[in-house]
Amino acid sequence: MGGRRLRARPQAGRSHRPRGQRPLLAFRGEGDIVGDMAGLLNKPRSASLRALDEVEVLELEDTQFKDFLWNHKEAWWTYTEILAERVDEQTANIHFQKHKTSMQIPEILVSLVDKVGRSNRDGIWLPYPRTQTELGSLIGISRESVSSTWSRLRDDGLVATRNGRMLILDLEGLRKIYSTDE
């Protein structure tokens, strides 16, 4: 299957969302498909992307992607699973909205660790979000609400902020907080 290969680099120094920019909807990682719904539905894209690291992209025309799925039944089933996972992810986001803030933050942090967390000698750091404002925007709460819960989690030795990044010190401790609420 043809297509253009592109290399994209993250823009330095852009950790804050500009005013009026859409909130973060999801994280995507290596091997993920993005922009597919616009092509399948013949509609304009519904979101923008921002790379956290350098990425290589295979760009396909919508007809190329549709033809590929039509001619490869196994790929179609895999794609169907991806769509089901996205629906499940959005359902989980709704679940986050219903939880109390003190449960939402540990839950979203664990979810972020699973998707974008990077281990180092100090713990697991998150390349995004970098700020409490960005964390709050993920679940639709104010920075002040995040700050209050973050302080408690920090005092309990579960999280820290180092070099302008959020660091998870005790992942299992975070898991215990929100799992006792269900």
Side-chain angles (χ1 to χ4, degrees), residues 59-124:
E59 181 183 35
L60 302 174
E61 295 295 323
D62 59 345
T63 54
Q64 291 175 297
F65 185 58
K66 289 176 188 176
D67 289 345
F68 177 77
L69 291 175
W70 183 259
N71 293 315
H72 297 85
K73 184 178 179 180
E74 292 165 3
W76 177 253
W77 281 112
T78 300
Y79 182 65
T80 302
E81 289 173 353
I82 290 168
L83 294 177
E85 287 171 4
R86 289 180 185 172
V87 169
D88 190 50
E89 184 177 7
Q90 290 305 309
T91 302
N93 287 343
I94 292 167
H95 175 72
F96 288 146
Q97 295 294 330
K98 292 182 180 179
H99 260 41
K100 299 183 304 184
T101 302
S102 62
M103 299 300 153
Q104 286 176 311
I105 293 172
E107 190 170 7
I108 192 76
L109 289 172
V110 169
S111 176
L112 291 169
V113 164
D114 292 342
K115 292 176 196 242
V116 297
R118 299 185 181 158
S119 295
N120 71 13
R121 58 182 154 72
D122 296 327
I124 304 168

Side-chain angles (χ1 to χ4, degrees), residues 34-50:
V34 295
D36 49 308
M37 295 303 293
L40 287 179
L41 299 173
N42 295 320
K43 291 184 175 182
R45 63 184 170 80
S46 60
S48 296
L49 300 174
R50 188 173 97 190

Side-chain angles (χ1 to χ4, degrees), residues 128-141:
Y128 189 91
R130 290 178 182 245
T131 68
Q132 293 177 3
T133 300
E134 290 172 344
L135 180 59
S137 75
L138 290 175
I139 52 179
I141 61 174

